[in-house]
């Protein structure tokens, strides 16, 4: 059924590779996440120095959003753009680093710049700050990519007039493993890319 | 003093993840915060307080002093030197 919404673009970052709408835009063989994401930043010319202060989850989500929105319509109204992201490990990757810094009472030096990332929704904030998005946002936690959950939540936002476009998807990282799959949902009667749960699932499973 | 200033520059670059900045880019007298300097923010300020405690065992007792102490690399070096003498 056509709901008047379409997936106007999708981006995937996984296994040292970044792709936009299924086309690889950058790849780096045999590199750690840190090496890969830094090389991706340079290659894609993000030019946003705060990037290097972000934790891994935010770097991953920010990079995916930058690539996803690189060809987005300039007329996007920031106050009408929502962001709905989900993941399995919340902010655990950074939580562990923070815990390590406070585990020894004799060497107790928690880092403020690490601590501020010990929430899973900070990545949404970083994306919103960069793109001046002030619409509704939500951070969902699920065991694995759940297209039904993302679809239903996003449809609710559109049906209630909360957003006119929405950046949604999966941004997860923990201990060097990472996976980002972002989708930009807009109002459009494009049957080929109609916004459906099954289509989200299919793109997630087939686009790497 | 020169040695301490260079050490501070390297430590600040590392602790604050100033990826695109080298020690040579930082003027010892330039302001660390606001325009015309490194453009550090409030979280960076907290990180500098931790740096003084962790690397120099200096605790800032009066938060009001922070603005003066962290004005520049030079003022930080002056403060560290002064604390060591005291």
């Amino acid at each position: 059924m056509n709901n008047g919404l379409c997936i106007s673009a999708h981006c995937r970052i996984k296994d040292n590779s970044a792709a936009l709408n299924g086309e690889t835009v950058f790849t780096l063989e045999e590199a750690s996440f840190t090496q890969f994401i830094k090389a991706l930043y340079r290659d894609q010319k993000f030019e946003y120095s705060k990037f290097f202060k972000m934790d891994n989850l935010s770097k991953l989500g920010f990079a995916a959003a930058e690539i996803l929105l690189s060809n987005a319509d300039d007329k996007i109204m920031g106050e009408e753009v929502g962001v709905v992201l989900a993941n399995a490990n919340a902010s655990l990757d950074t939580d562990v680093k923070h815990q390590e810094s406070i585990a020894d009472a004799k060497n107790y030096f928690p880092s403020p710049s690490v601590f501020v990332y010990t929430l899973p929704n900070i990545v949404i904030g970083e994306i919103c700050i960069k793109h001046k998005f002030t619409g509704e946002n939500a951070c969902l936690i699920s065991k694995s990519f759940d297209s039904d959950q993302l679809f239903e939540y996003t449809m609710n936002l559109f049906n209630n007039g909360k957003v006119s476009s929405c950046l949604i998807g999966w941004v997860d990282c923990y201990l060097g493993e990472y996976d980002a799959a972002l989708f930009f949902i807009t109002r459009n009667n494009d049957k080929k890319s109609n916004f459906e749960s099954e289509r989200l699932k299919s793109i997630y499973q087939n686009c790497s | 003093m020169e040695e301490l200033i260079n050490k501070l520059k390297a430590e600040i670059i590392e602790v604050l993840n100033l990826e695109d900045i080298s020690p040579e880019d930082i003027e010892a007298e330039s302001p660390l915060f606001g325009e015309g300097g490194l453009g550090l923010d409030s979280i960076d300020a907290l990180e500098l307080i931790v740096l003084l405690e962790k690397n120099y065992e200096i605790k800032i007792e009066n938060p009001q002093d922070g603005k003066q102490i962290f004005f520049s690399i030079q003022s930080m070096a002056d403060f560290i030197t002064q604390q060591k003498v005291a």
Side-chain angles (χ1 to χ4, degrees):
Chain A
M1 192 179 78
N2 191 333
N3 51 30
L5 302 174
C6 78
I7 302 169
S8 65
H10 55 88
C11 172
R12 189 72 181 270
I13 299 180
K14 191 186 177 190
D15 298 334
N16 290 357
S17 182
L20 176 63
N21 300 326
E23 299 287 326
T24 300
V25 296
F26 180 74
T27 189
L28 184 68
E29 300 288 330
E30 295 179 14
S32 65
F33 173 77
T34 305
Q35 293 166 326
F36 167 74
I37 206 75
K38 193 170 167 180
L40 178 65
Y41 173 94
R42 303 275 186 219
D43 181 77
Q44 297 293 302
K45 299 179 174 59
F46 292 155
E47 293 182 7
Y48 192 69
S49 58
K50 205 196 167 205
F51 178 84
F52 295 106
K53 292 175 182 282
M54 296 177 193
D55 72 341
N56 289 340
L57 184 67
S58 291
K59 280 178 181 165
L60 178 61
F62 180 90
E66 285 299 292
I67 294 168
L68 179 77
L69 298 169
S70 58
N71 295 321
D73 189 346
D74 289 339
K75 292 172 186 167
I76 291 171
M77 302 292 283
E79 63 269 29
E80 295 175 2
V81 181
V83 181
V84 181
L85 299 184
N87 77 7
N89 288 295
S91 56
L92 199 55
D93 190 65
T94 298
D95 297 347
V96 167
K97 287 174 187 159
H98 176 63
Q99 169 61 24
E100 286 169 353
S101 73
I102 60 172
D104 183 357
K106 291 176 184 170
N107 190 27
Y108 188 91
F109 293 105
S111 163
S113 57
V114 170
F115 179 72
V116 293
Y117 285 99
T118 56
L119 284 170
N121 59 342
I122 303 300
V123 55
I124 294 176
E126 295 290 6
I127 293 168
C128 289
I129 289 168
K130 171 64 176 19
H131 295 280
K132 298 183 173 61
F133 294 161
T134 55
E136 292 283 320
N137 67 67
C139 176
L140 311 173
I141 308 297
S142 58
K143 283 184 179 175
S144 58
F145 181 81
D146 185 340
S147 60
D148 289 341
Q149 182 190 46
L150 279 171
F151 176 77
E152 284 166 20
Y153 197 98
T154 306
M155 281 307 297
N156 196 32
L157 291 179
F158 276 100
N159 289 337
N160 285 292
K162 299 285 188 185
V163 296
S164 62
S165 56
C166 202
L167 188 158
I168 70 169
W170 181 259
V171 180
D172 192 42
C173 84
Y174 184 50
L175 301 178
E177 297 292 318
Y178 60 95
D179 183 11
L182 295 189
F183 307 82
F184 197 52
I185 313 303
T186 57
R187 292 193 187 279
N188 196 320
N189 285 313
D190 182 355
K191 285 181 183 174
K192 284 183 183 174
S193 56
N194 191 30
F195 177 47
E196 298 163 351
S197 175
E198 276 304 309
R199 199 177 298 273
L200 285 178
K201 194 174 176 180
S202 170
I203 292 171
Y204 180 79
Q205 288 174 342
N206 298 317
C207 283
S208 56
Chain B
M1 182 62 87
E2 191 68 27
E3 191 180 332
L4 176 57
I5 285 173
N6 289 333
K7 185 166 177 268
L8 275 172
K9 285 180 181 178
E11 287 171 338
I12 285 173
I13 286 170
E14 186 192 349
V15 168
L16 303 185
N17 294 309
L18 303 176
E19 186 71 22
D20 295 322
I21 294 174
S22 65
E24 296 76 30
D25 297 330
I26 307 174
E27 295 286 340
E29 304 277 357
S30 293
L32 292 172
F33 296 85
E35 289 181 18
L38 290 180
L40 305 186
D41 60 23
S42 56
I43 300 298
D44 294 324
L46 294 173
E47 205 66 67
L48 292 181
I49 292 171
V50 174
L51 186 151
L52 281 191
E53 283 189 37
K54 191 175 180 179
N55 296 4
Y56 299 91
E57 297 177 353
I58 296 172
K59 197 161 187 169
I60 296 173
E61 302 294 345
N62 184 1
Q64 302 289 337
D65 297 337
K67 199 172 179 181
Q68 188 184 339
I69 295 166
F70 297 116
F71 177 78
S72 66
I73 297 278
Q74 183 67 56
S75 61
M76 283 183 72
D78 290 342
F79 179 70
I80 292 167
T81 306
Q82 180 192 330
Q83 290 295 306
K84 281 184 177 173
V85 172

